[in-house]
């Protein structure tokens, strides 16, 4: 009789919840997720420290990566969404891009293999930071009443429709924007992590059972890993460019 292939997928809690391993039983206990965020922060800070430590006319190493990242954010995010006066936000947006990317990319790093942003806390915290920034920019630029008047009553809308438009716009600037930022980043990293784990388990099960077709899910796993590297950068780009869009809207309400 043919042996039945048994697939044992780990519980979801084993994929996203990690025990504390440092400073246990204290308010600052550290687990795998927290350690990844600490590493992402150190990598971001270390990259720009190394780039600025010995600046050369012809950039090499960390300086090349840092300058390329800065030029990318300036040209493809700030200039496309805010304009020249958005250069003051270049440090914020560049730091945000690299921090999110490093937090994501650990999902494909051997022995770590966990994207920290597949936990909701930090994506939500980052979205709240963006929420505070674009409201602050709008109120500082237009004044409190001018900012909310321009947001709730966009020009060119027939006045009877403001009965519907104003509550929708209020809900959008106060709730939908930050939630969509956080959920988009979180959901994409969760989905990618689940796909990687599923194909890894399938490959291991088929290989252990002696099936030649084990190569098929294994090659699929390689392709998904490459795709996750792309998604890690893409989600960092999307979060950063939407942040720039919201800041630009607060600076230039007529647009």
């Amino acid at each position: 009789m043919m042996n039945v292939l048994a697939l044992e997928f780990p519980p979801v809690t084993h994929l996203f919840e990690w025990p504390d391993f440092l400073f246990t039983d204290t308010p600052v206990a550290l687990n795998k997720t927290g350690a990844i965020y600490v590493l992402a922060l150190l990598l971001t800070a270390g990259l720009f420290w190394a780039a600025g430590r010995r600046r050369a006319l012809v950039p090499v190493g960390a300086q090349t990566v840092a300058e390329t990242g800065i030029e990318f954010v300036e040209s493809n995010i700030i200039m496309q969404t805010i304009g020249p006066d958005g250069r003051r936000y270049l440090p914020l947006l560049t730091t945000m891009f690299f921090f999110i990317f490093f937090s994501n990319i650990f999902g494909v790093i051997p022995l770590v293999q966990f994207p920290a942003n597949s936990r909701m806390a930090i994506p939500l915290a980052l979205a709240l930071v963006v929420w505070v920034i674009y409201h602050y920019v709008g109120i500082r630029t237009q004044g409190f009443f001018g900012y909310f008047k321009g947001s709730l009553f966009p020009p060119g809308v027939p006045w009877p429709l403001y009965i519907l438009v104003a509550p929708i716009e209020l809900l959008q600037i106060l709730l939908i924007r930050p939630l969509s930022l956080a959920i988009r980043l979180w959901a994409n990293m969760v989905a990618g992590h689940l796909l990687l784990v599923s194909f890894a388990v399938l490959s291991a099960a088929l290989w252990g059972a002696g099936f030649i077709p084990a190569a098929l899910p294994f090659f699929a796993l390689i392709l998904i890993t490459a795709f996750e590297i792309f998604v890690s950068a893409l989600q960092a780009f999307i979060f950063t460019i939407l942040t720039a869009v919201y800041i630009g809207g607060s600076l230039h309400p007529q647009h």
Side-chain angles (χ1 to χ4, degrees):
M1 296 179 61
M2 182 182 299
N3 293 329
V4 178
L5 180 63
L7 295 177
E8 295 184 5
F9 288 89
V12 173
T13 55
H14 289 192
L15 301 179
F16 297 100
E17 296 182 9
W18 306 96
D20 299 333
F21 63 84
L22 193 62
F23 308 121
T24 57
D25 300 324
T26 70
V28 292
L30 195 66
N31 61 11
K32 186 175 183 177
T33 307
I36 292 172
Y37 279 123
V38 171
L39 286 173
L41 180 61
L42 292 175
L43 285 170
T44 303
L47 172 65
F48 291 101
W49 176 82
R53 185 165 174 257
R54 293 182 178 178
R55 285 181 288 181
L57 184 61
V58 179
V60 293
Q63 186 180 345
T64 301
V65 176
E67 290 188 4
T68 301
I70 291 171
E71 291 174 3
F72 174 81
V73 172
E74 181 179 12
S75 301
N76 296 283
I77 294 180
I78 291 176
M79 300 304 296
Q80 301 298 323
T81 58
I82 303 177
D85 55 345
R87 288 194 177 98
R88 73 186 74 172
Y89 302 102
L90 180 60
L92 167 70
L93 296 173
T94 305
T95 302
M96 181 177 292
F97 175 83
F98 277 99
F99 175 74
I100 294 173
F101 172 74
F102 285 135
S103 301
N104 290 343
I105 201 65
F106 277 100
V108 298
I109 300 298
L111 303 179
V112 181
Q113 296 172 312
F114 181 71
N117 287 323
S118 61
R119 297 296 302 271
M120 186 58 159
I122 296 300
L124 185 58
L126 289 172
L128 290 175
V129 169
V130 174
W131 183 86
V132 170
I133 289 172
Y134 72 73
H135 281 310
Y136 170 76
V137 170
I139 293 171
R140 186 189 65 180
T141 304
Q142 307 171 49
F144 182 85
F145 293 104
Y147 170 64
F148 281 100
K149 179 183 178 182
S151 299
L152 301 183
F153 303 99
V157 177
W159 69 264
L161 292 181
Y162 283 135
I163 299 173
L164 295 176
V165 171
I168 293 173
E169 291 296 327
L170 180 64
L171 187 64
Q172 176 182 235
I173 65 173
L174 293 182
L175 187 63
I176 295 176
R177 282 183 180 179
L179 279 181
S180 63
L181 269 179
I183 291 173
R184 182 184 294 107
L185 175 59
W186 166 78
N188 276 280
M189 302 320 298
V190 166
H193 189 51
L194 289 175
L195 274 175
L196 287 173
V197 170
S198 298
F199 277 90
V201 170
L202 184 60
S203 299
L206 289 173
W207 187 269
F211 282 82
I212 297 299
L216 296 178
F218 178 74
F219 284 125
L221 179 61
I222 295 175
L223 293 176
I224 293 173
T225 300
F227 182 69
E228 279 304 298
I229 296 173
F230 168 75
V231 169
S232 296
L234 178 64
Q235 290 305 313
F237 171 76
I238 290 174
F239 196 102
T240 307
I241 197 171
L242 286 177
T243 300
V245 167
Y246 298 153
I247 293 174
S250 297
L251 279 174
H252 310 295
Q254 67 274 17
H255 295 165

